[in-house]
Amino acid sequence: MSKMSDMAMTIEELRNAAAAINEAANWLAAQFSSDADATPVAEAKTEKKPELTLEEVRAVLAEKSRAGHTAAIRTLLQKYGAKKLSGVDPKHYEALSKDAEELDDGK
């Protein structure tokens, strides 16, 4: 793995950690605010998990490509109507990432 891709992955992990800390702080603030009723708890339970970013999907695909799945990744990109990851609609990032994660299962 190159130093640049290591750095990019480290930066993305830091961003994810910061987002998780921020979410936890918001939850705690809602729990202990003066307006303490059942709604903050209900909101916390119904929160969606954050959508994947282009960088997160790119990291997954890069890992799979290095593991020898380059041709399969090209096929997956075509499945989602693109020749490159940047051409994939962001609403498909989650499904594309799950499909890529399953590539090792077929080995």
Side-chain angles (χ1 to χ4, degrees), residues 60-89:
V60 169
L61 295 181
E63 179 183 325
K64 297 301 177 177
S65 180
R66 283 189 297 276
H69 298 290
T70 304
I73 290 170
R74 283 191 196 114
T75 303
L76 286 176
L77 291 173
Q78 290 172 353
K79 174 181 174 183
Y80 294 98
K83 290 184 179 184
K84 301 186 299 184
L85 177 57
S86 59
V88 174
D89 189 331

Side-chain angles (χ1 to χ4, degrees), residues 15 19-20 32 38-39 42 46 54 57 82 90 93-94 96 101 106:
R15 286 182 176 147
F32 296 104
T39 55
T46 60
L54 176 69
V57 178
Y93 286 170
E94 184 79 26
L96 174 59
E101 290 292 338

Side-chain angles (χ1 to χ4, degrees), residues 1-103:
M1 202 181 288
S2 72
K3 289 183 181 182
M4 291 303 288
S5 63
D6 283 344
M7 181 63 70
M9 287 175 50
T10 301
I11 290 169
E12 192 58 38
E13 289 173 3
L14 285 170
R15 286 182 176 147
N16 291 338
I21 290 169
N22 191 34
E23 187 176 311
N26 289 339
W27 184 83
L28 284 170
Q31 294 300 311
F32 296 104
S33 69
S34 62
D35 189 24
D37 58 8
T39 55
V41 174
E43 288 175 11
K45 290 181 182 178
T46 60
E47 270 188 39
K48 291 183 183 177
K49 80 176 190 181
E51 291 186 21
L52 290 176
T53 64
L54 176 69
E55 292 79 16
E56 291 170 328
V57 178
R58 180 172 283 134
V60 169
L61 295 181
E63 179 183 325
K64 297 301 177 177
S65 180
R66 283 189 297 276
H69 298 290
T70 304
I73 290 170
R74 283 191 196 114
T75 303
L76 286 176
L77 291 173
Q78 290 172 353
K79 174 181 174 183
Y80 294 98
K83 290 184 179 184
K84 301 186 299 184
L85 177 57
S86 59
V88 174
D89 189 331
K91 69 181 179 185
H92 298 300
Y93 286 170
E94 184 79 26
L96 174 59
S97 180
K98 285 181 182 178
D99 287 347
E101 290 292 338
E102 292 173 0
L103 290 176

